[in-house]
Amino acid sequence: LTPDFSFKDRPPLSLAMLTAPPSGRSSSATMGFKSTAVGILAFAGAASAFAPGPALQVANKGLPASLGLRKATSVKPTMVVSPITGEVMSKFDAMRFKFGRETNTAQIDQQEKAAGFDYSDFETAIAKFDSSFQVGDTVVGQVVQYEQNGALVDVGGKSSAFLATPEASMQRVDDIEEFLAIGDNREFQIIGGEDENGQVRLSVRRLEFARAWERVRQIQEEDCTITAEIMSINRGGALVNFEGLRGFLPGSHAPQGLTEDAVGTVVPLKFLEVDQAKNRLVVSNRRAVVESRLTNLEPGQLITGIVRSLKPYGAFVDIGGVSGLLHISQISHDHISDVSKVLSEGQEIKAMILTQDKEKGRFSLSTRTLEGEPGDMIRNPESVKENAEATAAKYHERVKAEQQARDQAASELVAGLDLDALSTEVEA
């Protein structure tokens, strides 16, 4: 065959023309000719798919099996013609016809006119109730149906919105029916725009997430104490759960002796850092405990503490997480030149609170007020500790008596003054 070969306008080929070898050829030549005939048939079949016209017309009935040819199958038309109108039917009309509901356009038009309402009117009516949803909007919807991987929610759109199971709550959701019931009305956040069916995607988890952060910021501004459950322990501290948010509790701010046994316990906390953009939430148990005890500590109160460190000017005493300063001048009535000769680190002592600065969390302490005799803290500090309650009571009685005496003296001084004479001198 040459490149300009065409089957168009050629007489139909017969089987004899393709299979009969030329005269005077050998048997081997005959076999070769038959192979060539098969090739021509294959080429002609491919060409017929693209070239218009009759192409190659070959009756394959009775072909030798040795040629390996198969009967061609015809392709069904994709268009369906209505047996009623003779027109090509749409996919919708074809389905109606297939399932026994023949389309009669004239009859339908007549029914619509009788009803006074047609499909165009229906589309207009639907457009009035068409809602335009934007990603991020908060809408109110009603749960209407459970699906395999979520639930359908009626939010007043063209189609029911879809709520995926993982988006049903900030908590882990294995069964959405445990979190939502059919008929529940609540708020949802739109996280996906309308698809080709007008369906939007919803989320409860993201709505709860945003509100939890808002609540955390409000608590931080008000400097309130919260309670949260310890979820796990790690090398740096612990993870806690508050309002569905995971917070980090550093080891330096965690309760003393933090171990795996603490998992599941609820502890008081204060916020140290709140950063929603970085998803960072840092809390402190020590600060919550300290501020709680600051509220309960008052000047004149007797406390028990542990000496944590010694300085040339005094000693720092730990009062259950709160640090107080016992100045060298408040250790004893007698003069002390070296604090380490009287106190040692780790020693338990009893002292009285002299002053308090709640804003800075500072306390000034005194053991001198607990001495029965001047110098007892130097000679026998254990006796001062054992008799601290009795000595403190006597100290408060003495202070009260001194205050009453000052008040009495002030009253007598005012009573002895000639107020009339003083007023006359002022006017003059």
Side-chain angles (χ1 to χ4, degrees):
L1 300 176
T2 60
D4 61 348
F5 179 83
S6 174
F7 290 107
K8 186 176 181 181
D9 301 329
R10 298 297 180 104
L13 297 178
S14 65
L15 179 61
M17 294 172 63
L18 293 175
T19 58
S23 59
R25 298 295 180 93
S26 62
S27 59
S28 59
T30 301
M31 292 300 295
F33 185 82
K34 289 184 177 181
S35 299
T36 303
V38 173
I40 293 175
L41 287 174
F43 178 79
S48 65
F50 301 96
L56 181 64
Q57 300 177 12
V58 180
N60 58 358
K61 181 177 179 181
L63 285 177
S66 60
L67 293 180
L69 300 179
R70 293 177 295 177
K71 292 185 178 181
T73 56
S74 60
V75 180
K76 294 182 179 180
T78 56
M79 297 296 181
V80 180
V81 178
S82 173
I84 300 176
T85 62
E87 299 176 352
V88 177
M89 293 190 295
S90 65
K91 183 178 179 181
F92 175 73
D93 291 335
M95 291 181 63
R96 290 172 60 91
F97 179 77
K98 178 179 178 182
F99 293 100
R101 300 186 64 183
E102 298 182 1
T103 302
N104 191 328
T105 306
Q107 183 180 0
I108 291 176
D109 292 341
Q110 185 178 1
Q111 292 175 352
E112 290 177 352
K113 291 180 180 179
F117 194 83
D118 57 15
Y119 278 106
S120 61
D121 296 330
F122 179 73
E123 291 177 358
T124 303
I126 289 295
K128 295 180 180 179
F129 299 94
D130 187 17
S131 299
S132 178
F133 298 110
Q134 301 294 330
V135 175
D137 288 350
T138 299
V139 297
V140 177
Q142 183 181 64
V143 181
V144 295
Q145 180 179 328
Y146 294 127
E147 294 288 314
Q148 182 177 2
N149 299 317
L152 295 181
V153 182
D154 181 12
V155 293
K158 296 179 181 178
S159 303
S160 295
F162 181 69
L163 173 70
T165 299
E167 296 293 334
S169 175
M170 289 180 63
Q171 305 177 29
R172 179 177 176 179
V173 181
D174 294 324
D175 186 359
I176 195 171
E177 296 185 22
E178 297 179 359
F179 290 83
L180 297 172
I182 300 297
D184 281 355
N185 289 278
R186 60 164 304 153
E187 290 184 329
F188 301 87
Q189 186 179 45
I190 297 177
I191 60 174
E194 295 183 357
D195 59 13
E196 63 276 7
N197 297 319
Q199 187 177 71
V200 298
R201 292 184 293 112
L202 305 177
S203 175
V204 175
R205 182 182 66 85
R206 298 190 192 185
L207 197 61
E208 293 177 344
F209 187 78
R211 290 177 176 176
W213 277 107
E214 182 64 28
R215 174 167 166 75
V216 165
R217 284 192 293 269
Q218 182 180 359
I219 293 175
Q220 184 191 34
E221 292 175 359
E222 298 175 357
D223 197 26
C224 298
T225 300
I226 65 167
T227 57
E229 179 182 354
I230 296 178
M231 300 171 57
S232 61
I233 308 295
N234 54 38
R235 294 181 60 183
L239 293 178
V240 300
N241 182 7
F242 176 72
E243 298 280 343
L245 299 177
R246 297 176 66 180
F248 177 62
L249 175 62
S252 59
H253 287 265
Q256 294 182 355
L258 185 65
T259 63
E260 292 290 342
D261 295 336
V263 175
T265 59
V266 178
V267 294
L269 300 169
K270 284 274 190 177
F271 290 116
L272 294 180
E273 183 179 353
V274 175
D275 192 339
Q276 182 179 358
K278 297 181 179 179
N279 197 27
R280 183 176 176 83
L281 187 64
V282 184
V283 295
S284 172
N285 171 256
R286 181 168 62 86
R287 183 183 169 195
V289 171
V290 167
E291 294 191 7
S292 175
R293 292 181 177 175
L294 284 174
T295 305
N296 299 326
L297 296 176
E298 298 292 341
Q301 185 176 347
L302 186 66
I303 57 93
T304 300
I306 304 296
V307 177
R308 292 303 181 190
S309 62
L310 300 177
K311 303 294 180 181
Y313 52 84
F316 284 98
V317 182
D318 181 18
I319 315 169
V322 181
S323 183
L325 174 63
L326 177 58
H327 195 267
I328 190 171
S329 62
Q330 289 293 331
I331 296 177
S332 176
H333 285 86
D334 290 354
H335 176 71
I336 297 175
S337 58
D338 188 357
V339 178
S340 61
K341 292 182 179 180
V342 181
L343 301 173
S344 60
E345 293 184 2
Q347 178 182 354
E348 183 180 86
I349 64 172
K350 288 186 177 182
M352 183 179 291
I353 298 175
L354 290 182
T355 60
Q356 176 189 30
D357 187 343
K358 290 187 177 182
E359 293 183 358
K360 297 183 179 180
R362 297 176 180 176
F363 292 87
S364 63
L365 306 176
S366 174
T367 54
R368 187 176 70 171
T369 56
L370 301 180
E371 287 184 321
E373 296 294 335
D376 280 351
M377 276 297 295
I378 300 174
R379 294 186 297 268
N380 190 2
E382 284 299 320
S383 65
V384 175
K385 179 182 176 182
E386 292 175 359
N387 300 319
E389 284 78 8
T391 307
K394 292 179 181 180
Y395 172 80
H396 287 305
E397 290 177 359
R398 185 172 67 252
V399 170
K400 184 178 180 180
E402 292 175 355
Q403 183 64 41
Q404 289 177 349
R406 288 193 293 269
D407 293 343
Q408 182 66 29
S411 299
E412 293 176 356
L413 179 61
V414 172
L417 294 176
D418 188 350
L419 299 180
D420 293 337
L422 288 176
S423 60
T424 301
E425 291 179 0
V426 172
E427 291 175 358

